[in-house]
Amino acid sequence: MRLGGGLLVALAAAAAGAGWWLPAGLVLAAIAAGVTARVPEPGDALVDRVVIAVARLSEVAVYAIAFASYVFPEHRPAAAAAFVVVVTGAGFAGLEIPTIVVRITGGLLLIAGLVLVAVCVAVPPVGTADGLRAPDFAGVLVAAVVFLPFLRARRRENAGWRALLLGVVAVLVAFAALYQLGAVRLGLSATSLRDLLSAADADALQPVLTVVAVVATAGPALAAGTEVRARAGVSGLAGLAVAAAAAYLLPVLPVLVVAGLATVFELLLGVRARRYSGTRE
């Protein structure tokens, strides 16, 4: 589900920097997620708990912005802040979605993504004015960083293969979006998947996309709230307030960058924890 929520807004943000080389950034992110799948969770030191809280709460802010942009675009800031308070607060209070529901929902979102790709590829694009340019390596790297949190698999079993599978899905959706919209139009679109359906003459599916946006953002945000409570305790409530303020005030790109960098630091702390454990043994 996390990838579905990320694709709603990260696709356009990454395309704004990487352009037609967006798929290269997604490939890098998928490889990184697959290679680091066996990295353990960080320890319980203060720095570990702070980094994980920042990573999860910034992801929540991304989901909140995505939810508000697709479901309540006319009231985006207020709806995003309310999403953080209600959904993440429920997760912080201990509400959890059963594992079987998470798996079924994830499968349905995967099917929805493949249907979107099929619809977009089946309809010839009107035409795009922008063409392939020399790669912007900084833009490709930023694209990889912003997508890394949404490609990492939370469950440990077959995590590497699942991360690579999610990467394949993300690359397919990116190709479909670039095919229909072009890099410039995709990068300028705050709700790129809505524009993608319109470009593919599939406006009849817009209500379905609204439902997908709700499902793809609420579930991961709920899980993130639960993890913040487990890691930060009552002090995590201050983090919820910061996440709500970020969702209200900030555009999505800086929030995505914070989420990506926090995930990188989380992986580094996990590597450190494994090395420390191996040294003690």
Side-chain angles (χ1 to χ4, degrees):
M1 282 197 293
R2 294 164 64 244
L3 176 61
L7 279 171
L8 292 169
V9 288
L11 202 62
W20 285 93
W21 294 93
L22 167 61
L26 295 178
V27 169
L28 285 178
I31 292 173
V35 168
T36 59
R38 294 185 177 274
V39 172
E41 295 290 332
D44 200 40
L46 177 61
V47 63
D48 301 80
R49 288 185 278 119
V50 169
V51 167
I52 290 180
V54 170
R56 298 299 166 268
L57 289 171
S58 54
E59 290 174 27
V60 167
V62 171
Y63 297 134
I65 293 171
F67 168 85
S69 297
Y70 281 82
V71 182
F72 296 104
E74 296 161 357
H75 307 284
R76 209 277 307 161
F83 177 94
V84 173
V85 173
V86 175
V87 179
T88 313
F92 194 89
L95 181 64
E96 295 185 17
I97 301 175
T99 302
I100 184 64
V101 175
V102 173
R103 291 179 176 176
I104 292 174
T105 305
L108 292 175
L109 290 175
L110 176 61
I111 293 172
L114 295 177
V115 169
L116 175 66
V117 171
V119 168
C120 293
V121 172
V123 178
V126 174
T128 56
D130 54 322
L132 183 65
R133 300 178 180 177
D136 181 344
F137 294 105
V140 171
L141 184 59
V142 169
V145 168
V146 301
F147 264 99
L148 181 60
F150 309 106
L151 291 175
R152 289 191 66 211
R154 285 284 176 257
R155 299 194 307 274
R156 290 296 176 181
E157 62 275 12
N158 300 317
W161 290 109
R162 286 188 287 111
L164 293 176
L165 173 62
L166 292 176
V168 170
V169 174
V171 168
L172 289 175
V173 174
F175 270 122
L178 290 169
Y179 174 72
Q180 279 292 339
L181 300 176
V184 173
R185 185 178 172 190
L186 175 60
L188 293 174
S189 175
T191 53
S192 54
L193 297 190
R194 286 214 182 280
D195 291 347
L196 188 55
L197 288 179
S198 296
D201 198 22
D203 280 321
L205 296 178
Q206 295 288 2
V208 177
L209 179 58
T210 301
V211 174
V212 167
V214 173
V215 173
T217 54
L222 193 64
T226 302
E227 190 169 355
V228 171
R229 182 197 61 172
R231 284 282 183 172
V234 177
S235 59
L237 290 173
L240 294 183
V242 173
Y248 184 90
L249 296 171
L250 297 178
V252 73
L253 180 57
V255 183
L256 281 166
V257 171
V258 171
L261 292 177
T263 300
V264 171
F265 280 112
E266 180 184 348
L267 289 172
L268 293 175
L269 290 173
V271 171
R272 186 195 67 172
R274 181 168 63 183
R275 288 180 177 176
Y276 178 72
S277 176
T279 301
R280 293 191 62 181
E281 291 175 359

